[in-house]
Amino acid sequence: MSKLTIKETQNPSILKFEFEDFITQNESFEFKNIDETKNSPLTQQLFYLPFVKTVYISGNFIAIEKFSIVEWEDVKDAVAEQIETFVANGGTIIVPSENKTQKQPITVYGETTPNPSALKFVVSRMLTKTPVEFKNIDEATASPLAQELFKFPYVKEIFIDENYISITKYAVSEWQEITLELRTFIKQYIENGGTVLDESIIVAHTEQENNKTENFDNLDVTSQQIINILEEYVKPAVQADGGNIAFDSYNENDKTVKVILQGACSGCPSSTFTLKSGIENMLKSMLNDDAIKVEAVNA
């Protein structure tokens, strides 16, 4: 029986228990309580431990989020031993879906974006609900797929959201030379059960973002209105182009709105025009204030 590898995550409440081989193919699972565990006998057993809050299963690992009543240092070895014993005794981790008796092929195709340096690779299944951006391989700990893509010498930046991967390239290569290689790699990686995103790390990031969102009620009315306009009217169009936009701040004194551009929008030659002629004019009109200015903090 192979021993599990115990790994810490960016969230101190979440610990990963890694197997040598994949335990699920092309699927990720999240269990919030014992009532949700009918297709995972192992998770059902784990929830009998009083400190288990959430269980995530994806790729080659099980990640467990704990309540604060215990410290991982005191219980992690016992949890690992319980998982190892369960598997060694022939226990089932995940009951296979009836309609997933064989590997499910996926399709991947490339879409151009307004940024000539970025291409959007659309996948025929959902990848994540949380947009993530990686500027280099050191930032890509949450995405084994991104780490592999950064090994291609022409890959500069990676942005993953919903069902697509937006890749920004260095000028050393032309898209017609590398698109097929990237598309084939992404397709085979996902079909073979490779982990696109480590959900345990993404959850930690999401919790940080949620903490920011909780401050929404403390913002001034204009900032709240700007956030709502960006979310409802701007973000869907930006995501369609392989990017993302996030509110950073609003200065009441000089009427400056600062936003963060991600994915294909970051470094796009037309992003300045989009900010000034599109978003800025929209905010001026909807807030009835011609003094408003929009700037990208990472332009």
Side-chain angles (χ1 to χ4, degrees):
M1 178 182 66
S2 61
K3 282 187 69 68
L4 291 172
T5 302
I6 303 174
K7 288 190 177 180
E8 295 180 351
T9 71
Q10 292 178 346
N11 185 337
S13 296
I14 298 177
L15 212 59
K16 283 175 63 178
F17 300 85
E18 289 190 352
F19 293 79
E20 292 180 346
D21 301 310
F22 287 110
I23 56 176
T24 177
Q25 299 292 324
N26 298 327
E27 289 184 289
S28 296
F29 302 87
E30 177 179 343
F31 304 97
K32 292 286 189 183
N33 56 62
I34 198 167
D35 289 339
E36 298 178 354
T37 62
K38 62 180 181 180
N39 66 333
S40 179
L42 171 58
T43 306
Q44 193 171 59
Q45 179 173 312
L46 289 172
F47 269 111
Y48 284 109
L49 299 171
F51 55 83
V52 171
K53 181 179 180 182
T54 310
V55 178
Y56 311 91
I57 300 178
S58 180
N60 70 327
F61 68 85
I62 295 171
I64 300 175
E65 181 179 12
K66 70 172 182 66
F67 288 107
S68 57
I69 56 173
V70 297
E71 296 299 326
W72 271 125
E73 197 60 40
D74 299 328
V75 298
K76 64 181 183 181
D77 292 332
V79 172
E81 184 179 346
Q82 181 170 328
I83 295 173
E84 289 171 348
T85 301
F86 181 89
V87 174
N89 290 336
T92 301
I93 299 174
I94 289 286
V95 177
S97 303
E98 292 182 6
N99 60 348
K100 297 214 172 178
T101 52
Q102 58 185 14
K103 184 172 78 170
Q104 295 294 308
I106 63 161
T107 57
V108 179
Y109 66 89
E111 271 187 10
T112 57
T113 75
N115 185 349
S117 297
L119 201 65
K120 178 180 172 183
F121 291 88
V122 182
V123 182
S124 60
R125 73 175 180 86
M126 190 63 119
L127 301 175
T128 180
K129 293 179 181 178
T130 308
V132 285
E133 182 177 41
F134 309 110
K135 298 286 189 182
N136 53 60
I137 195 168
D138 290 338
E139 293 182 1
T141 52
S143 175
L145 171 57
Q147 288 179 328
E148 292 301 315
L149 288 171
F150 272 119
K151 293 176 183 177
F152 291 100
Y154 45 74
V155 172
K156 182 180 181 183
E157 297 175 11
I158 297 169
F159 177 73
I160 305 175
D161 191 13
E162 296 186 345
N163 67 328
Y164 68 86
I165 301 159
S166 183
I167 296 178
T168 303
K169 69 173 181 65
Y170 286 104
V172 66
S173 300
E174 298 299 325
W175 280 121
Q176 60 263 31
E177 301 167 352
I178 61 177
T179 300
L180 180 60
E181 182 177 32
L182 285 172
R183 187 180 69 81
T184 302
F185 179 83
I186 292 169
K187 174 179 167 64
Q188 292 179 347
Y189 181 94
I190 296 175
E191 282 187 341
N192 289 330
T195 302
V196 176
L197 287 168
D198 181 336
E199 292 299 328
S200 62
I201 297 179
I202 298 303
V203 166
H205 172 77
T206 304
E207 288 180 352
Q208 293 170 1
E209 292 300 312
N210 287 342
N211 289 336
K212 293 180 187 176
T213 306
E214 287 172 6
N215 296 325
F216 179 86
D217 292 336
N218 299 325
L219 294 172
D220 60 277
V221 174
T222 304
S223 292
Q224 292 179 345
Q225 290 174 323
I226 291 168
I227 291 172
N228 289 335
I229 292 170
L230 292 177
E231 289 289 327
E232 186 172 353
Y233 297 100
V234 179
K235 188 170 285 188
V238 169
Q239 287 177 326
D241 286 335
N244 190 42
I245 186 169
F247 174 81
D248 180 74
S249 63
Y250 170 66
N251 188 318
E252 293 185 51
N253 296 323
D254 62 7
K255 301 292 184 74
T256 299
V257 179
K258 292 189 176 181
V259 297
I260 300 167
L261 298 177
Q262 295 177 307
C265 300
S266 179
C268 175
S270 62
S271 62
T272 303
F273 176 80
T274 302
L275 283 173
K276 295 298 179 185
S277 299
I279 300 168
E280 187 173 287
N281 286 343
M282 179 184 290
L283 290 175
K284 285 179 177 178
S285 173
M286 298 185 77
L287 297 174
N288 198 24
D289 188 343
D290 288 336
I292 283 180
K293 301 188 294 288
V294 178
E295 297 176 359
V297 296
N298 58 337

